[in-house]
Amino acid sequence: MKHLINPQVDCVFKSLLGAEENKALLINFLNAVLTPPLDKQIIEVTLLNPYNKREFINDKSTIVDIKAKEQNGHLFQIEIQLQVGPELPARMAYTWADIYHNQLGKGDGFYLLQPIVSIWLLGDNLKVIRQSDAFHHCFKLYDPSNQVLLTDHCQIHTLELKKWSKGDIKDDIDYWSWLFSQGDHLDIDHLPSFITDNSL
């Protein structure tokens, strides 16, 4: 019997990781991507409104797939993007900045700002990093010449599913990458051995 639900479809993706009843899956996914973790393992998340507020009527509004906050205050934006165009890196930076900016109201101090972690699952490869064979990248505000991190408030993760190796499943991020890249072909009557022998 074929499993007919494609986890790459937007509404399925949001139901899988953005539903209140599936918060345990979201926690597992976040801990899988954030290895090593930000401060400590995530044990609790609160799902947030995915609509980012506009300050002025003419401001560009942004809507993210999933937005959440963990127990230490770190904020997460999680997106699935199957079509990857040349403008996507700018969009990644813009939506990260929009969420970061929206943390403060008039008169709030900058000390209130919390780190924002953006995670993008991509159905195609980013052209700007085509020279890298790695499927998981983490971009930060970092000076590579002097090996200095400006702030830990910015992380933009990319998971390029086409680059993920379909060989051995080594850890949780491989389980998730397999699900999002191969899950639409899953035959529930003939599950892979790594599914029957282990569980997320």
Side-chain angles (χ1 to χ4, degrees):
M1 179 178 175
K2 271 286 191 184
H3 174 64
L4 301 177
I5 298 176
N6 185 349
Q8 292 185 354
V9 173
D10 196 56
C11 61
V12 178
F13 177 76
K14 291 177 182 178
S15 296
L16 184 65
L17 292 180
E20 194 70 28
E21 61 270 23
N22 289 335
K23 287 203 298 186
L25 292 176
L26 176 59
I27 290 169
N28 183 278
F29 174 79
L30 292 173
N31 283 320
V33 174
L34 301 175
T35 304
L38 293 171
D39 294 325
K40 57 182 72 172
Q41 285 277 315
I42 297 168
I43 58 172
E44 182 57 49
V45 293
T46 302
L47 292 167
L48 303 175
N49 184 347
Y51 290 83
N52 294 324
K53 65 183 180 182
R54 293 187 295 173
E55 189 170 351
F56 300 104
I57 193 69
N58 291 327
D59 285 353
K60 182 175 179 63
S61 61
T62 57
I63 307 168
V64 301
D65 286 342
I66 299 165
K67 188 160 61 171
K69 179 187 288 189
E70 54 89 72
Q71 71 271 4
N72 295 314
H74 297 90
L75 292 164
F76 297 93
Q77 167 203 0
I78 307 165
E79 304 277 356
I80 189 159
Q81 181 68 39
L82 301 182
Q83 303 298 320
V84 176
E87 76 290 342
L88 187 59
R91 179 181 163 199
M92 290 176 175
Y94 183 89
T95 54
W96 174 89
D98 200 25
I99 297 171
Y100 194 64
H101 163 265
N102 279 324
Q103 292 185 79
L104 298 183
K106 186 175 181 180
D108 288 343
F110 292 108
Y111 67 91
L112 295 172
L113 289 168
Q114 294 291 327
I116 307 292
V117 178
S118 294
I119 302 171
W120 292 75
L121 291 104
L122 304 177
D124 205 350
N125 297 335
L126 278 170
K127 302 301 184 287
V128 294
I129 52 175
R130 62 177 175 262
Q131 69 276 13
S132 170
D133 292 329
F135 83 97
H136 178 198
H137 289 88
C138 177
F139 300 99
K140 300 180 180 182
L141 296 175
Y142 181 74
D143 173 8
S145 297
N146 299 293
Q147 299 183 349
V148 176
L149 182 68
L150 178 64
T151 174
D152 65 353
H153 279 206
C154 177
Q155 286 190 29
I156 299 177
H157 292 257
T158 58
L159 301 177
E160 296 172 285
L161 297 175
K162 282 189 174 180
K163 289 183 180 177
W164 176 71
S165 171
K166 299 173 180 62
D168 294 337
I169 303 290
K170 300 180 180 66
D171 48 36
D172 281 352
I173 198 168
D174 289 319
Y175 282 101
W176 284 107
S177 300
W178 176 85
L179 175 67
F180 286 116
S181 63
Q182 304 294 310
D184 60 328
H185 303 301
L186 180 62
D187 182 346
I188 60 174
D189 293 327
H190 301 89
L191 294 173
S193 59
F194 61 83
I195 294 291
T196 56
D197 294 342
N198 300 286
S199 61
L200 285 174

PDB file of all heavy atoms in Angstrom, residues 81-93 122 124-130:
ATOM      1  N   GLN A  81      11.047  25.101   0.906  1.00  0.00           N
ATOM      2  CA  GLN A  81      11.043  25.838  -0.366  1.00  0.00           C
ATOM      3  C   GLN A  81      11.525  24.897  -1.456  1.00  0.00           C
ATOM      4  O   GLN A  81      12.710  24.540  -1.498  1.00  0.00           O
ATOM      5  CB  GLN A  81      11.958  27.061  -0.260  1.00  0.00           C
ATOM      6  CG  GLN A  81      12.023  27.920  -1.487  1.00  0.00           C
ATOM      7  CD  GLN A  81      10.709  28.642  -1.762  1.00  0.00           C
ATOM      8  OE1 GLN A  81      10.051  29.101  -0.831  1.00  0.00           O
ATOM      9  NE2 GLN A  81      10.332  28.738  -3.009  1.00  0.00           N
ATOM     10  N   LEU A  82      10.607  24.483  -2.320  1.00  0.00           N
ATOM     11  CA  LEU A  82      10.966  23.523  -3.358  1.00  0.00           C
ATOM     12  C   LEU A  82      11.611  24.182  -4.560  1.00  0.00           C
ATOM     13  O   LEU A  82      12.535  23.634  -5.160  1.00  0.00           O
ATOM     14  CB  LEU A  82       9.723  22.733  -3.780  1.00  0.00           C
ATOM     15  CG  LEU A  82       9.028  21.951  -2.661  1.00  0.00           C
ATOM     16  CD1 LEU A  82       7.844  21.175  -3.207  1.00  0.00           C
ATOM     17  CD2 LEU A  82      10.006  21.021  -1.957  1.00  0.00           C
ATOM     18  N   GLN A  83      11.137  25.369  -4.934  1.00  0.00           N
ATOM     19  CA  GLN A  83      11.708  26.106  -6.057  1.00  0.00           C
ATOM     20  C   GLN A  83      12.750  27.090  -5.521  1.00  0.00           C
ATOM     21  O   GLN A  83      12.423  27.956  -4.713  1.00  0.00           O
ATOM     22  CB  GLN A  83      10.610  26.872  -6.814  1.00  0.00           C
ATOM     23  CG  GLN A  83       9.482  25.992  -7.327  1.00  0.00           C
ATOM     24  CD  GLN A  83       9.955  24.965  -8.336  1.00  0.00           C
ATOM     25  OE1 GLN A  83      10.797  25.249  -9.185  1.00  0.00           O
ATOM     26  NE2 GLN A  83       9.423  23.759  -8.241  1.00  0.00           N
ATOM     27  N   VAL A  84      13.974  26.933  -5.976  1.00  0.00           N
ATOM     28  CA  VAL A  84      15.079  27.761  -5.475  1.00  0.00           C
ATOM     29  C   VAL A  84      15.566  28.663  -6.600  1.00  0.00           C
ATOM     30  O   VAL A  84      16.177  28.201  -7.559  1.00  0.00           O
ATOM     31  CB  VAL A  84      16.233  26.883  -4.945  1.00  0.00           C
ATOM     32  CG1 VAL A  84      17.410  27.745  -4.519  1.00  0.00           C
ATOM     33  CG2 VAL A  84      15.739  26.021  -3.778  1.00  0.00           C
ATOM     34  N   GLY A  85      15.265  29.945  -6.478  1.00  0.00           N
ATOM     35  CA  GLY A  85      15.700  30.919  -7.467  1.00  0.00           C
ATOM     36  C   GLY A  85      16.875  31.741  -6.962  1.00  0.00           C
ATOM     37  O   GLY A  85      17.279  31.630  -5.801  1.00  0.00           O
ATOM     38  N   PRO A  86      17.434  32.599  -7.815  1.00  0.00           N
ATOM     39  CA  PRO A  86      18.601  33.394  -7.428  1.00  0.00           C
ATOM     40  C   PRO A  86      18.317  34.406  -6.329  1.00  0.00           C
ATOM     41  O   PRO A  86      19.241  34.874  -5.657  1.00  0.00           O
ATOM     42  CB  PRO A  86      19.005  34.100  -8.733  1.00  0.00           C
ATOM     43  CG  PRO A  86      17.780  34.066  -9.592  1.00  0.00           C
ATOM     44  CD  PRO A  86      17.045  32.813  -9.230  1.00  0.00           C
ATOM     45  N   GLU A  87      17.034  34.756  -6.120  1.00  0.00           N
ATOM     46  CA  GLU A  87      16.687  35.747  -5.107  1.00  0.00           C
ATOM     47  C   GLU A  87      16.495  35.138  -3.714  1.00  0.00           C
ATOM     48  O   GLU A  87      16.316  35.859  -2.729  1.00  0.00           O
ATOM     49  CB  GLU A  87      15.395  36.477  -5.512  1.00  0.00           C
ATOM     50  CG  GLU A  87      14.108  35.697  -5.303  1.00  0.00           C
ATOM     51  CD  GLU A  87      13.913  34.510  -6.235  1.00  0.00           C
ATOM     52  OE1 GLU A  87      14.591  34.441  -7.285  1.00  0.00           O
ATOM     53  OE2 GLU A  87      13.075  33.640  -5.912  1.00  0.00           O
ATOM     54  N   LEU A  88      16.557  33.804  -3.594  1.00  0.00           N
ATOM     55  CA  LEU A  88      16.242  33.170  -2.317  1.00  0.00           C
ATOM     56  C   LEU A  88      17.174  33.581  -1.181  1.00  0.00           C
ATOM     57  O   LEU A  88      16.694  33.823  -0.070  1.00  0.00           O
ATOM     58  CB  LEU A  88      16.207  31.649  -2.465  1.00  0.00           C
ATOM     59  CG  LEU A  88      15.720  30.901  -1.213  1.00  0.00           C
ATOM     60  CD1 LEU A  88      14.310  31.336  -0.821  1.00  0.00           C
ATOM     61  CD2 LEU A  88      15.782  29.400  -1.420  1.00  0.00           C
ATOM     62  N   PRO A  89      18.494  33.677  -1.366  1.00  0.00           N
ATOM     63  CA  PRO A  89      19.336  34.116  -0.250  1.00  0.00           C
ATOM     64  C   PRO A  89      18.918  35.485   0.317  1.00  0.00           C
ATOM     65  O   PRO A  89      18.934  35.683   1.540  1.00  0.00           O
ATOM     66  CB  PRO A  89      20.741  34.165  -0.861  1.00  0.00           C
ATOM     67  CG  PRO A  89      20.703  33.133  -1.941  1.00  0.00           C
ATOM     68  CD  PRO A  89      19.323  33.247  -2.521  1.00  0.00           C
ATOM     69  N   ALA A  90      18.528  36.417  -0.572  1.00  0.00           N
ATOM     70  CA  ALA A  90      18.061  37.717  -0.085  1.00  0.00           C
ATOM     71  C   ALA A  90      16.765  37.564   0.699  1.00  0.00           C
ATOM     72  O   ALA A  90      16.558  38.232   1.724  1.00  0.00           O
ATOM     73  CB  ALA A  90      17.866  38.674  -1.272  1.00  0.00           C
ATOM     74  N   ARG A  91      15.879  36.683   0.238  1.00  0.00           N
ATOM     75  CA  ARG A  91      14.626  36.442   0.964  1.00  0.00           C
ATOM     76  C   ARG A  91      14.902  35.834   2.333  1.00  0.00           C
ATOM     77  O   ARG A  91      14.247  36.163   3.329  1.00  0.00           O
ATOM     78  CB  ARG A  91      13.723  35.522   0.134  1.00  0.00           C
ATOM     79  CG  ARG A  91      12.412  35.181   0.805  1.00  0.00           C
ATOM     80  CD  ARG A  91      11.590  34.259  -0.072  1.00  0.00           C
ATOM     81  NE  ARG A  91      10.551  33.607   0.685  1.00  0.00           N
ATOM     82  CZ  ARG A  91       9.907  32.515   0.316  1.00  0.00           C
ATOM     83  NH1 ARG A  91      10.201  31.948  -0.841  1.00  0.00           N
ATOM     84  NH2 ARG A  91       8.975  31.979   1.068  1.00  0.00           N
ATOM     85  N   MET A  92      15.874  34.918   2.392  1.00  0.00           N
ATOM     86  CA  MET A  92      16.243  34.320   3.679  1.00  0.00           C
ATOM     87  C   MET A  92      16.694  35.390   4.668  1.00  0.00           C
ATOM     88  O   MET A  92      16.268  35.414   5.828  1.00  0.00           O
ATOM     89  CB  MET A  92      17.373  33.308   3.482  1.00  0.00           C
ATOM     90  CG  MET A  92      16.987  32.053   2.761  1.00  0.00           C
ATOM     91  SD  MET A  92      18.464  31.021   2.520  1.00  0.00           S
ATOM     92  CE  MET A  92      17.722  29.568   1.808  1.00  0.00           C
ATOM     93  N   ALA A  93      17.569  36.269   4.204  1.00  0.00           N
ATOM     94  CA  ALA A  93      18.074  37.334   5.075  1.00  0.00           C
ATOM     95  C   ALA A  93      16.949  38.293   5.473  1.00  0.00           C
ATOM     96  O   ALA A  93      16.877  38.743   6.624  1.00  0.00           O
ATOM     97  CB  ALA A  93      19.202  38.093   4.366  1.00  0.00           C
ATOM     98  N   LEU A 122      15.296  22.805   1.425  1.00  0.00           N
ATOM     99  CA  LEU A 122      15.288  23.232   0.029  1.00  0.00           C
ATOM    100  C   LEU A 122      15.176  22.040  -0.911  1.00  0.00           C
ATOM    101  O   LEU A 122      15.913  21.055  -0.791  1.00  0.00           O
ATOM    102  CB  LEU A 122      16.559  24.020  -0.280  1.00  0.00           C
ATOM    103  CG  LEU A 122      16.813  25.245   0.616  1.00  0.00           C
ATOM    104  CD1 LEU A 122      18.141  25.893   0.252  1.00  0.00           C
ATOM    105  CD2 LEU A 122      15.672  26.242   0.509  1.00  0.00           C
ATOM    106  N   ASP A 124      15.853  22.192  -4.054  1.00  0.00           N
ATOM    107  CA  ASP A 124      16.912  22.299  -5.052  1.00  0.00           C
ATOM    108  C   ASP A 124      18.120  22.938  -4.388  1.00  0.00           C
ATOM    109  O   ASP A 124      18.033  23.444  -3.262  1.00  0.00           O
ATOM    110  CB  ASP A 124      16.445  23.128  -6.253  1.00  0.00           C
ATOM    111  CG  ASP A 124      17.218  22.793  -7.527  1.00  0.00           C
ATOM    112  OD1 ASP A 124      18.231  22.066  -7.433  1.00  0.00           O
ATOM    113  OD2 ASP A 124      16.817  23.268  -8.603  1.00  0.00           O
ATOM    114  N   ASN A 125      19.244  22.949  -5.075  1.00  0.00           N
ATOM    115  CA  ASN A 125      20.477  23.471  -4.496  1.00  0.00           C
ATOM    116  C   ASN A 125      20.579  24.978  -4.676  1.00  0.00           C
ATOM    117  O   ASN A 125      20.151  25.526  -5.691  1.00  0.00           O
ATOM    118  CB  ASN A 125      21.691  22.795  -5.135  1.00  0.00           C
ATOM    119  CG  ASN A 125      21.718  21.305  -4.870  1.00  0.00           C
ATOM    120  OD1 ASN A 125      21.148  20.829  -3.893  1.00  0.00           O
ATOM    121  ND2 ASN A 125      22.370  20.563  -5.740  1.00  0.00           N
ATOM    122  N   LEU A 126      21.154  25.610  -3.673  1.00  0.00           N
ATOM    123  CA  LEU A 126      21.434  27.042  -3.762  1.00  0.00           C
ATOM    124  C   LEU A 126      22.621  27.257  -4.685  1.00  0.00           C
ATOM    125  O   LEU A 126      23.678  26.651  -4.500  1.00  0.00           O
ATOM    126  CB  LEU A 126      21.751  27.614  -2.379  1.00  0.00           C
ATOM    127  CG  LEU A 126      20.589  27.984  -1.474  1.00  0.00           C
ATOM    128  CD1 LEU A 126      21.103  28.298  -0.077  1.00  0.00           C
ATOM    129  CD2 LEU A 126      19.822  29.172  -2.024  1.00  0.00           C
ATOM    130  N   LYS A 127      22.476  28.141  -5.639  1.00  0.00           N
ATOM    131  CA  LYS A 127      23.561  28.382  -6.592  1.00  0.00           C
ATOM    132  C   LYS A 127      24.776  28.997  -5.912  1.00  0.00           C
ATOM    133  O   LYS A 127      25.908  28.744  -6.307  1.00  0.00           O
ATOM    134  CB  LYS A 127      23.069  29.303  -7.720  1.00  0.00           C
ATOM    135  CG  LYS A 127      21.858  28.765  -8.476  1.00  0.00           C
ATOM    136  CD  LYS A 127      22.146  27.418  -9.121  1.00  0.00           C
ATOM    137  CE  LYS A 127      20.983  26.924  -9.957  1.00  0.00           C
ATOM    138  NZ  LYS A 127      19.849  26.457  -9.156  1.00  0.00           N
ATOM    139  N   VAL A 128      24.552  29.800  -4.865  1.00  0.00           N
ATOM    140  CA  VAL A 128      25.668  30.500  -4.224  1.00  0.00           C
ATOM    141  C   VAL A 128      26.599  29.556  -3.472  1.00  0.00           C
ATOM    142  O   VAL A 128      27.731  29.920  -3.158  1.00  0.00           O
ATOM    143  CB  VAL A 128      25.169  31.604  -3.262  1.00  0.00           C
ATOM    144  CG1 VAL A 128      24.474  32.710  -4.038  1.00  0.00           C
ATOM    145  CG2 VAL A 128      24.247  31.031  -2.199  1.00  0.00           C
ATOM    146  N   ILE A 129      26.133  28.341  -3.161  1.00  0.00           N
ATOM    147  CA  ILE A 129      27.005  27.399  -2.453  1.00  0.00           C
ATOM    148  C   ILE A 129      27.146  26.096  -3.242  1.00  0.00           C
ATOM    149  O   ILE A 129      27.331  25.030  -2.676  1.00  0.00           O
ATOM    150  CB  ILE A 129      26.507  27.118  -1.016  1.00  0.00           C
ATOM    151  CG1 ILE A 129      25.034  26.699  -1.007  1.00  0.00           C
ATOM    152  CG2 ILE A 129      26.735  28.299  -0.120  1.00  0.00           C
ATOM    153  CD1 ILE A 129      24.540  26.295   0.377  1.00  0.00           C
ATOM    154  N   ARG A 130      27.091  26.189  -4.564  1.00  0.00           N
ATOM    155  CA  ARG A 130      27.180  24.980  -5.380  1.00  0.00           C
ATOM    156  C   ARG A 130      28.555  24.316  -5.287  1.00  0.00           C
ATOM    157  O   ARG A 130      28.698  23.146  -5.612  1.00  0.00           O
ATOM    158  CB  ARG A 130      26.843  25.305  -6.836  1.00  0.00           C
ATOM    159  CG  ARG A 130      27.765  26.288  -7.517  1.00  0.00           C
ATOM    160  CD  ARG A 130      27.366  26.475  -8.989  1.00  0.00           C
ATOM    161  NE  ARG A 130      28.177  27.509  -9.623  1.00  0.00           N
ATOM    162  CZ  ARG A 130      27.785  28.754  -9.780  1.00  0.00           C
ATOM    163  NH1 ARG A 130      26.612  29.131  -9.337  1.00  0.00           N
ATOM    164  NH2 ARG A 130      28.563  29.644 -10.364  1.00  0.00           N
TER     165      ARG A 130
END
